[in-house]
Amino acid sequence: TDTDTADEAVRTTCDDATTCKRFATSKGYWKDPYIQYFARSVGERKAPEINRGYYARVQGVNHLLDAFIRKAECDCQVINLGAGLDTTFWRLKDKNLMPRKYFEVDFPTVVARKIHNIKTKPPLSKPVIETHSTDSLLLDAHSLDSDRYCILGADLRDISNLDEKLKKFQLNPELPTLLVSECVLVYMTPAHSSNLVRWAAETFHTAMFINYEQVNMSDRFGQVMIENLQRRQCTLAGVEVCQSLDSQKERFLKACWEHADALDMMTVYSMLPQDDVARIEQLEFLDERELLQQLLQHYSICWATKDKLNLGLAQLAF
Ligand code: SAM
C-alpha cells in the first residue's frame, strides 16, 4: 500500500543520517568510534556545509542531553524516539554519564538491524553486557533489554502500544525523563506528533523533550528541501509545524509542557564552544559561508520542560 511505501522510505532515512555522521567523523569533525559498526562504508564525499551541519546537530543535541543528565545526577532515564542507528548509549557509557536506563524506539525492522549489529560486533555488545548485572539479558531478534539499555520496536504513531511496551521494559514514570527526537517528528502528521508530545507530558512529571528538525520551510530554500525528499518518496507529513520557531514551541506548549525554547541551527552554531568551532572550520575549506548559513537556518532545536521536582530544567540552554 501507499502507507507501506511511505513508511519504508522513512525507515531508510536512518541510513542517510548514519552515513553522513560516519563521513563527518572520518574527517575529524567529532569523535565517534562506534558509528563505523553501523554504516556499511564511509561512503561518498559530502560537501563541507553538510559536515558542518551535522557537527552543529550532534554537538547541539549532545549539549542539552548531557546538561539534563548532569542536572539529574544520572538519576534519570532517556528515551530516544526514532533512534535509528544512533550511538549515544556508547558515548554516555564512555563518558561516565549513563542514565539509570537508556531506551530506544524505532520501527521493528530498523530495530532488528540494529540488534543484529550489536550481537555480531563485540565493541558494541561488550558495553551492553558490562553494564548488566544478572544473567537475564534479553537479546532476541526484535528487542534488547538489559539493566541499562533497552531497544524496542514500535510505531510512534500508536501511543497505547508504545506506552505498554515501554512499561513492560520497566519504564519508570516517577524518574526525571529526557525524550529525544532527531529528524523524526517531521515524518508524522501534526496530529500524531502532538499526541506523542502530549503523552510524554502526561506520563512524566519531571521531563525534558529535545526535538531537532527542519524549520522556516515556507521559503524557496525550504521548498527545494521538500522536493528533494519527495523525489525519494519521503513525505514530510509534519512540515506544517516546521514553519517557524514559534510553531515548534507551540506544539509543546499546547500539549501541557510548562516551558519551551527554540533556536535555529545557525544561532546554535554561533553559541557552541568557539574554540572547537574554529578547529572544525580548519578541516575543510568552505567556499560560500552563505550556503552554510542558509542550510543551518532551515534546521532547529526545540526543547521543552516540566519540572515538578524543581531540578532547574527551565534554565537548561546554550
Ligand atoms: N534519530 C536518528 C538519528 O538522528 O541518527 C535517526 C534519524 S532518521 C532521519 C528517522 C528515524 O525515525 C528512522 O530511523 C525512522 O525509522 C524513525 N521513525 C520515523 N517515523 C517513525 C514511527 N512512526 N515509528 C517509529 N520510528 C519512526
Side-chain angles (χ1 to χ4, degrees):
T1 69
D2 284 354
T3 321
D4 291 338
T5 318
D7 284 358
E8 182 51 31
V10 169
R11 283 191 281 270
T12 62
T13 59
C14 74
D15 287 310
D16 299 339
T18 310
T19 316
C20 289
K21 287 175 183 177
R22 170 139 195 214
F23 185 82
T25 56
S26 78
K27 288 275 172 198
Y29 281 83
W30 71 94
K31 288 199 175 76
D32 185 342
Y34 301 101
I35 194 105
Q36 55 177 312
Y37 304 113
F38 291 112
R40 290 186 191 99
S41 67
V42 177
E44 52 193 79
R45 192 182 161 273
K46 306 287 183 303
E49 63 273 12
I50 303 287
N51 297 328
R52 288 191 195 183
Y54 270 91
Y55 169 83
R57 164 175 171 174
V58 169
Q59 302 301 316
V61 171
N62 287 353
H63 169 82
L64 290 175
L65 196 149
D66 294 4
F68 175 90
I69 297 178
R70 289 206 172 94
K71 269 267 188 255
E73 296 175 346
C74 295
D75 201 8
C76 62
Q77 58 200 352
V78 176
I79 311 175
N80 193 326
L81 302 164
L85 306 172
D86 187 279
T87 56
T88 301
F89 167 78
W90 293 275
R91 183 180 70 80
L92 294 176
K93 160 93 170 47
D94 287 348
K95 237 185 149 178
N96 259 317
L97 211 58
M98 281 267 288
R100 277 223 227 155
K101 193 156 178 177
Y102 187 89
F103 294 84
E104 291 185 344
V105 183
D106 208 300
F107 284 120
T109 51
V110 175
V111 163
R113 279 181 50 203
K114 186 165 196 171
I115 290 176
H116 176 77
N117 282 316
I118 295 173
K119 268 187 179 169
T120 53
K121 316 242 155 88
L124 297 178
S125 54
K126 234 181 111 221
V128 179
I129 295 163
E130 273 171 15
T131 52
H132 188 74
S133 58
T134 63
D135 52 12
S136 63
L137 187 98
L138 168 72
L139 190 66
D140 63 30
H142 307 289
S143 36
L144 179 159
D145 188 41
S146 73
D147 289 352
R148 311 298 289 275
Y149 191 20
C150 170
I151 313 178
L152 61 93
D155 187 330
L156 297 168
R157 294 167 297 192
D158 182 350
I159 300 295
S160 55
N161 179 254
L162 174 72
D163 186 75
E164 188 186 309
K165 282 191 172 153
L166 283 167
K167 286 187 177 136
K168 190 176 118 195
F169 291 116
Q170 281 81 48
L171 179 84
N172 179 357
E174 296 305 316
L175 271 184
T177 301
L178 174 65
L179 301 112
V180 184
S181 58
E182 213 183 300
C183 286
V184 175
L185 301 188
V186 72
Y187 297 108
M188 298 182 215
T189 63
H192 281 133
S193 68
S194 292
N195 282 344
L196 183 61
V197 160
R198 181 178 298 275
W199 162 81
E202 284 169 354
T203 305
F204 308 104
H205 53 66
T206 302
M208 173 153 97
F209 200 123
I210 306 174
N211 180 46
Y212 173 93
E213 71 185 6
Q214 289 85 338
V215 77
N216 300 326
M217 292 298 273
S218 34
D219 66 7
R220 181 73 205 121
F221 192 91
Q223 286 310 307
V224 173
M225 287 167 65
I226 294 169
E227 282 159 22
N228 284 342
L229 278 152
Q230 272 168 352
R231 213 164 294 134
R232 307 169 41 197
Q233 321 288 314
C234 230
T235 312
L236 299 184
V239 79
E240 253 174 84
V241 194
C242 304
Q243 297 311 315
S244 68
L245 293 172
D246 277 334
S247 59
Q248 288 280 353
K249 283 190 276 190
E250 274 301 301
R251 168 165 50 200
F252 289 95
L253 296 172
K254 279 188 188 146
C256 300
W257 288 81
E258 288 163 5
H259 174 96
D261 264 310
L263 295 172
D264 75 62
M265 293 310 289
M266 195 60 220
T267 309
V268 170
Y269 189 71
S270 72
M271 293 168 114
L272 290 173
Q274 291 301 299
D275 49 345
D276 201 52
V277 171
R279 176 189 67 79
I280 67 114
E281 290 192 343
Q282 301 291 313
L283 293 174
E284 289 182 290
F285 178 69
L286 183 76
D287 241 352
E288 279 187 85
R289 182 138 181 121
E290 264 166 45
L291 203 60
L292 175 73
Q293 257 171 16
Q294 250 188 340
L295 185 69
L296 293 193
Q297 279 160 0
H298 285 82
Y299 285 93
S300 67
I301 294 186
C302 178
W303 65 100
T305 56
K306 50 181 297 194
D307 196 1
K308 189 171 158 228
L309 293 178
N310 283 317
L311 298 179
L313 298 181
Q315 297 146 25
L316 294 177
F318 285 91

